[in-house]
Amino acid sequence: MNLPIVVLDACVLIPMPICDTLLRAAEKGLYRFYTSPKILDETTKNQAKILVKQKKYNLVTARQKAEYKVNQIKKAFPEALVKPTDSLIEILENDPKARHVLAAAIEAQKLENNATVIIVTQNLKDFPSSELSKYNVKAMSPDEFFLWLIEIYDTTENLFDILQEQAKGIKQQLLDLLKRLEKGNAKNFVQEIINEIFYILRKYGREQEEIKYLKGEKYYIMSLKEKNLMITCLSKKCLLKSNCTLIIKNNLSIEDIKILTNFIQQSKIITQPNFRL
């Protein structure tokens, strides 16, 4: 499979942890990343404004922080820079302030044998499909893009591993990182990862066939007999029933996973998973 070709808009290079997750995925070779001087300049400028607005730094220090971040991106991806001409930018007909991003995608395309290029952006309205289709370019939100990566690789494993490394790198619990991603408009992607966490927990539960009944302090009853598993919130309806061939569940939330994990750890009967929640 040819690697996806992707241009990241400034609006996804600024907020953490979305930016971190996207760039880690590029580092792991899930896609080929391109950017441009104008995108990076916009990233620096807007990042500094946000830091000042948050009253974290004065303007000079905020600018230095933003420049450092952009320089780290350049250092990590030295082959990612494309330089579209002003004449190309001028002929494009999407939103004027976003034309330089589409131009970067077109320049990246020239280096990739005219492959389809994806622009990952939070501002989809700036990239109407009627204009992008002229150049074999598509636009996706980060949430859509992460789900698309899961689809084309037919697994959540690679992104799940990236998130674990990311959480470890910033010294944060995985579930807390997921909560931040959820707030950053990656809700559907987070739900897929939560489901993956649940499947891992379910796997560990099934390895202990002697467990027939466990009760958490506040929330859950887990019963495991042969290869059937049931998890029930004490104050709600059944969250999940499963066997070898059938899974029936409501979507588990980050809080559900936290409660379930605490319950499993408190029981001291089921082996703890080999990842940090």
Side-chain angles (χ1 to χ4, degrees), residues 142-175:
D143 199 22
E144 292 171 320
F145 179 64
F146 289 134
L147 292 175
W148 184 73
L149 287 179
I150 291 172
E151 180 181 348
I152 64 171
Y153 287 106
D154 195 27
T155 181
T156 59
E157 184 176 346
N158 41 28
L159 286 166
F160 184 71
D161 290 345
I162 285 168
L163 290 172
Q164 289 192 83
E165 291 178 8
Q166 184 178 347
K168 184 177 180 180
I170 61 177
K171 298 180 180 179
Q172 190 171 63
Q173 295 294 315
L174 176 58
L175 292 178

Side-chain angles (χ1 to χ4, degrees), residues 7-11 35-43 46 82-86 88-90 92 94-107 119 127:
V7 170
L8 301 179
D9 198 358
C11 60
T35 188
S36 73
K38 285 184 180 293
I39 291 173
L40 295 180
D41 287 347
E42 186 177 341
T43 300
N46 291 340
V82 293
K83 299 179 180 179
T85 63
D86 290 339
L88 171 59
I89 295 171
E90 289 169 1
L92 300 176
N94 61 311
D95 190 285
K97 67 179 180 297
R99 288 174 185 172
H100 69 93
V101 182
L102 176 53
I106 294 169
E107 286 298 316
I119 296 171
F127 301 95

Side-chain angles (χ1 to χ4, degrees), residues 19-246:
C19 169
D20 194 9
T21 308
L22 286 167
L23 293 179
R24 284 174 183 269
E27 284 183 327
K28 291 293 184 180
L30 299 188
Y31 66 91
R32 192 167 290 120
F33 163 55
Y34 284 97
T35 188
S36 73
K38 285 184 180 293
I39 291 173
L40 295 180
D41 287 347
E42 186 177 341
T43 300
T44 302
K45 179 181 177 181
N46 291 340
Q47 180 84 74
K49 284 183 178 178
I50 290 171
L51 292 174
V52 171
K53 187 175 180 179
Q54 292 173 341
K55 298 182 179 180
K56 291 185 177 181
Y57 305 100
N58 61 37
L59 183 58
V60 173
T61 305
R63 180 77 185 187
Q64 291 172 343
K65 292 283 184 181
E67 287 175 349
Y68 176 80
K69 176 180 177 176
V70 166
N71 286 334
Q72 290 298 105
I73 294 174
K74 291 178 181 178
K75 184 178 179 180
F77 301 96
E79 305 299 322
L81 206 64
V82 293
K83 299 179 180 179
T85 63
D86 290 339
S87 58
L88 171 59
I89 295 171
E90 289 169 1
I91 66 171
L92 300 176
E93 297 181 357
N94 61 311
D95 190 285
K97 67 179 180 297
R99 288 174 185 172
H100 69 93
V101 182
L102 176 53
I106 294 169
E107 286 298 316
Q109 192 175 65
K110 294 176 183 178
L111 300 175
E112 297 289 346
N113 298 317
N114 295 319
T116 300
V117 179
I118 296 169
I119 296 171
V120 179
T121 180
Q122 297 283 21
N123 301 318
L124 294 174
K125 66 182 186 304
D126 294 344
F127 301 95
S129 57
S130 58
E131 180 65 12
L132 269 57
S133 62
K134 299 176 186 177
Y135 305 99
N136 197 22
V137 175
K138 297 180 180 179
M140 295 183 184
S141 69
D143 199 22
E144 292 171 320
F145 179 64
F146 289 134
L147 292 175
W148 184 73
L149 287 179
I150 291 172
E151 180 181 348
I152 64 171
Y153 287 106
D154 195 27
T155 181
T156 59
E157 184 176 346
N158 41 28
L159 286 166
F160 184 71
D161 290 345
I162 285 168
L163 290 172
Q164 289 192 83
E165 291 178 8
Q166 184 178 347
K168 184 177 180 180
I170 61 177
K171 298 180 180 179
Q172 190 171 63
Q173 295 294 315
L174 176 58
L175 292 178
D176 292 330
L177 171 60
L178 291 176
K179 187 172 288 187
R180 291 177 63 198
L181 285 167
E182 190 174 50
K183 290 181 179 178
N185 296 324
K187 182 177 180 180
N188 294 312
F189 168 59
V190 167
Q191 187 62 61
E192 287 295 318
I193 297 300
I194 288 173
N195 291 342
E196 176 69 13
I197 292 171
F198 171 74
Y199 295 145
I200 293 173
L201 293 174
R202 183 164 61 91
K203 171 189 171 184
Y204 275 83
R206 284 183 178 178
E207 289 177 353
Q208 304 295 324
E209 295 298 337
E210 72 276 11
I211 301 171
K212 295 182 179 180
Y213 181 86
L214 291 174
K215 183 176 180 180
E217 293 180 0
K218 292 183 179 180
Y219 296 95
Y220 286 93
I221 294 173
M222 177 186 291
S223 52
L224 179 60
K225 187 175 181 181
E226 296 179 350
K227 293 189 177 181
N228 297 308
L229 171 68
M230 181 177 291
I231 300 172
T232 309
C233 177
L234 295 179
S235 60
K236 301 178 184 177
K237 59 184 178 180
C238 179
L239 288 175
L240 178 141
K241 294 181 181 179
S242 73
N243 54 39
C244 288
T245 59
L246 176 65

